[in-house]
Amino acid sequence: MTERATVPATPSEFPLPPGQVALVVIDMQRDFLLPGGFGESLGNDVSLLRQTIEPLAGLIAAARSMGVPVIHTREGHLPDLSDCPPAKLNRGEPSARIGDPGAFGRILIRGEYGHDIIDELAPIPGEVVIDKPGKGAFYATELSEVLESAGITTLLVTGVTTEVCVHTTVREANDRGYRCLVVSDCVGSYFPEFHRVGLEMVAAQGGIFGWVADSAAVVPALTALPAGQTPLNLTPAK
Ligand code: TIU
């Protein structure tokens, strides 16, 4: 057993630099995760996403206990849909379009009940919530500025879905110079095969986009970080 804050990961060990790590929680929103919601209305099995809730709650608790910033994202749009490109709006079945009335309010519209984060993983006061109109958390958001101002270099990436918003965010982060570890049991997909291959794609070719490890490997490394050396002064987005 090592006492160093290093995660045994694929394809190689992943050191956690004190004061430079943030936990990013992507789109754990009711519209994607609640039974009867938008995700399920598209024919998806939301239990595949819901199995991430328990390990992710544990990981978030570990991060909070060490002062590691937790940054949440939500995919969604303004009520007038002015930030939703027609190519995104006009796809899919007419009964399941962004902005249409759904079981939990207008689908993926900011301010609606379904757009917000599930109760189990609700942000606590002081945590940053990034509202994003796209799949990636960097596109058309303040995430870069938030991370730069806090000196973050290293991202623990979690949330849904593995091959869509998690992948897009990891790819965006790579091109901006961040080191990313995807926490395998804290990301989920409606498609088990996409999930499996999505994780493989991250770590293939010597870690072409980043590293992969499960929360059982990440939590001990997080709790081995020196307490109190991580920044707590991120400015909430809203
Ligand atoms: N957050 C996220 O991944 N948005 C999606 O639309 N994902 C799907 O898998 N549909």
Side-chain angles (χ1 to χ4, degrees), residues 26-29 32 38 42 44 49 73-75 88 91 108 132 134-135 159-166 188-191:
I26 309 259
D27 299 359
M28 293 297 284
Q29 295 162 256
F32 294 124
F38 173 53
L42 296 177
N44 296 310
L49 268 53
T73 73
R74 300 183 295 204
E75 180 179 352
K88 183 177 183 183
R91 75 178 69 134
L108 292 183
K132 62 187 182 66
K135 305 306 186 197
V160 297
T161 62
T162 312
E163 78 282 9
V164 184
C165 292
V166 170
S189 169
Y190 300 122
F191 303 92

Side-chain angles (χ1 to χ4, degrees), residues 4-7 16 21-23 58-69 156 183 215 217-227 230:
R4 286 182 307 143
T6 297
V7 183
L16 300 179
V21 181
L23 173 59
L59 185 61
I60 290 171
R64 285 175 181 158
S65 76
M66 299 309 295
V68 168
L156 303 174
V183 188
S215 60
V218 175
V219 168
L222 261 185
T223 54
L225 278 169
T230 46

Side-chain angles (χ1 to χ4, degrees), residues 5 22 99-100 130 137-138 141-142 155 161 166 186 198 202 208 218 223 228 231:
D100 284 351
I130 301 283
F138 288 86
T141 74
E142 66 279 31
L155 304 178
T161 62
V166 170
C186 297
V202 169
I208 192 78
V218 175
T223 54

Side-chain angles (χ1 to χ4, degrees), residues 122-138:
I124 60 174
E127 287 180 350
V128 173
V129 179
I130 301 283
D131 278 317
K132 62 187 182 66
K135 305 306 186 197
F138 288 86

